[in-house]
Amino acid sequence: MSHPITVTHRHGESITVESEHTELMTYVYKPDPVEFESRKPYLHPLRTLAGNAVTGYRPNDHRWHKGLQMTASHVSGQNFWGGNTYVRGEGYLALPERVGSMRHEGFETFDVDPDELRFVENLRWLNNGGDPWAFERRGLRAHSVNPANGTWALDWSIRLTNTCAEPLRFGSPTTEGREMAGYTGLHWRGPREFTGGTVRGPGATGADAMMGAQGRWLAFTGEHDEVDGHSTVVFEHGPSNAESVHESHWFVRSDPTPAVAISWAFFEEFELPAGESFEYTYRILIADGALDHERIDRTLDEHPW
């Protein structure tokens, strides 16, 4: 049985989940003030049951990296990732007129059980001029708090509908010409102390081995400063993702920045026609300790969808 949780909702600002006085997560839906960083909700801090943080916020190398976020680096010429935009033949350019945003429009459902939080949030994707381009129905679920094995789980789903009259074109820096920079989609930035951490995937080890690869899951293990210990964050595809509009690949770096993105447009662009939608579902397992392949597989199997 999952361990009890406490949920605090600061209306208009954020939602915090705690377990035994440890803050496990805070979801911030009141946008940060800097427009160039792409104003949108984010999840930070994200912590293990032992209280160790596994997300970074506004690091000095990429101020627009904020914990765990749903992003999109290239959407029909707009940048919902934040920061500089990669332009074919010109490299990264500061183009504030291309930076879009995501606006919180309310909660469709909000349910708290003794051991689980579930909510569905409605968001509007706006271009830099404020025009609504897409409607997102986002679901988050915090659950399966298990002190016995030092893990808990967070599910994140997205259903995005094109509300424009024309197709929306999704891409990445790689589709714009930069090799192996296919980041877009759900993005995690780890704390700086995780730099040089260990990346694992099914049957593989190392960031180079997993960059641009596919697979059911990807895990990132880092060693903390100040405390003696490691933590592991595991990203898993929901079973229905195999049927989504476009197949996903892993974007992952361990050095110089600890980062993972579940990229839906790594190597190829895709179009979302007017009025149509796509859906993805992910699970993030947050664990104390350095989990190996066997334990990752076993723990994920203990949490059926």
Side-chain angles (χ1 to χ4, degrees), residues 72-287:
S73 59
H74 290 70
V75 184
S76 297
Q78 291 281 291
N79 171 4
F80 293 89
W81 177 276
N84 296 333
T85 300
Y86 191 86
V87 178
R88 184 180 295 275
E90 299 183 64
Y92 284 105
L93 302 176
L95 301 172
E97 69 277 8
R98 293 196 185 186
V99 178
S101 62
M102 301 177 194
R103 183 179 67 206
H104 169 83
E105 295 199 336
F107 294 101
E108 186 175 319
T109 63
F110 197 99
D111 299 300
V112 180
D113 293 333
D115 61 353
E116 184 173 312
L117 165 68
R118 302 178 305 279
F119 65 79
V120 174
E121 179 186 19
N122 293 330
L123 299 110
R124 193 73 60 176
W125 291 37
L126 310 172
N127 72 0
N128 186 261
D131 300 322
W133 275 16
F135 174 77
E136 180 187 346
R137 188 174 186 269
R138 175 178 300 180
L140 263 70
R141 176 184 174 225
H143 62 101
S144 301
V145 175
N146 187 344
N149 66 9
T151 65
W152 69 279
L154 173 70
D155 294 355
W156 187 311
S157 65
I158 175 176
R159 177 180 175 85
L160 191 72
T161 302
N162 178 3
T163 58
C164 295
E166 302 295 330
L168 287 176
R169 189 178 70 256
F170 290 80
S172 69
T174 293
T175 66
E176 282 292 305
R178 185 185 178 203
E179 292 186 2
M180 303 308 286
Y183 51 77
T184 194
L186 187 64
H187 173 247
W188 168 82
R189 172 63 190 251
R192 193 173 300 281
E193 63 212 65
F194 275 26
T195 302
T198 301
V199 176
R200 293 181 175 87
T205 300
D208 290 344
M210 292 304 299
M211 176 67 93
Q214 295 177 294
R216 172 191 172 193
W217 57 264
L218 180 143
F220 197 111
T221 298
E223 184 173 10
H224 293 282
D225 293 335
E226 300 183 13
V227 298
D228 297 329
H230 296 75
S231 296
T232 301
V233 183
V234 185
F235 305 87
E236 182 187 22
H237 280 286
S240 62
N241 287 1
E243 303 170 4
S244 295
V245 64
H246 199 267
E247 62 183 8
S248 297
H249 297 77
W250 297 110
F251 170 88
V252 56
R253 286 188 178 139
S254 176
D255 191 25
T257 59
V260 174
I262 311 174
S263 175
W264 54 44
F266 197 117
F267 298 107
E268 297 177 345
E269 289 187 340
F270 71 89
E271 285 192 347
L272 183 65
E276 294 196 11
S277 307
F278 67 71
E279 298 181 59
Y280 292 96
T281 300
Y282 310 104
R283 176 162 291 164
I284 300 96
L285 183 73
I286 301 94

Side-chain angles (χ1 to χ4, degrees), residues 35-95:
E35 185 177 1
F36 187 64
E37 296 172 7
S38 183
R39 304 173 72 193
K40 56 186 179 290
Y42 61 87
L43 199 158
H44 174 80
L46 189 63
R47 300 183 189 274
T48 69
L49 294 184
N52 296 319
V54 294
T55 49
Y57 173 76
R58 294 193 77 242
N60 59 30
D61 50 78
H62 297 83
R63 294 297 189 193
W64 46 94
H65 289 184
K66 298 175 182 179
L68 184 67
Q69 291 186 296
M70 185 59 68
T71 65
S73 59
H74 290 70
V75 184
S76 297
Q78 291 281 291
N79 171 4
F80 293 89
W81 177 276
N84 296 333
T85 300
Y86 191 86
V87 178
R88 184 180 295 275
E90 299 183 64
Y92 284 105
L93 302 176
L95 301 172

